[in-house]
Structure formats: C-alpha cells, structure tokens
Amino acid sequence: MAIILRLDRVMADRKMSLNELSEKVGIANVNLSKIKTGKVSAIRFSTLNAICKVLDCQPGDILEYTPDE
C-alpha cells in the first residue's frame, strides 16, 4: 500500500508546530509525531477530522496515494 502522509508539509504551510497542533487537536505529541512521520498503519477518522479542522484543510491535503511499483 502506498499511502503517503503529508502532514509535515501542511503544518509547514500553516506555520504550525507539532506541539501547537497537538494541543489544539487534543492528542499526545508522540502520537501526532508518528502520524507526521508516517509511522502509523491506521488513523481514526475522528483524529483526521480534528487535524483537518485545526489546519483548515481537506483529508486529501494530508493523505496522498501513489501506486505500488
């Protein structure tokens, strides 16, 4: 599966730190860091919803699909 997380790019565009996003979303900094670095195998819709709300973006801004080679 080739789903790439682009949370770091969206955060940079919004000039938002990991700590600030973590506080506003209400999830642990460590868990948000795993999402940011793509070291997760799943993400809850409620978490994705909260991230999109805080960053004022769409899920497609954070998630990107690339076909397997």
Side-chain angles (χ1 to χ4, degrees):
M1 181 169 60
I3 301 293
I4 299 168
L5 290 161
R6 300 289 186 196
L7 182 58
D8 55 344
R9 184 171 58 190
V10 177
M11 287 173 58
D13 290 346
R14 305 295 192 276
K15 295 178 176 53
M16 188 171 292
S17 71
L18 190 66
N19 288 333
E20 185 180 356
L21 183 60
S22 174
E23 288 175 16
K24 290 183 177 186
V25 170
I27 65 171
N29 195 338
V30 122
N31 293 333
L32 193 58
S33 179
K34 287 179 184 179
I35 294 169
K36 182 180 171 189
T37 58
K39 295 184 177 168
V40 293
S41 59
I43 182 169
R44 291 179 185 212
F45 281 138
S46 58
T47 301
L48 184 59
N49 182 64
I51 290 170
C52 288
K53 184 175 182 179
V54 169
L55 293 176
D56 188 30
C57 67
Q58 294 293 314
D61 297 330
I62 297 172
L63 304 171
E64 181 180 321
Y65 170 75
T66 54
D68 291 330
E69 297 283 325

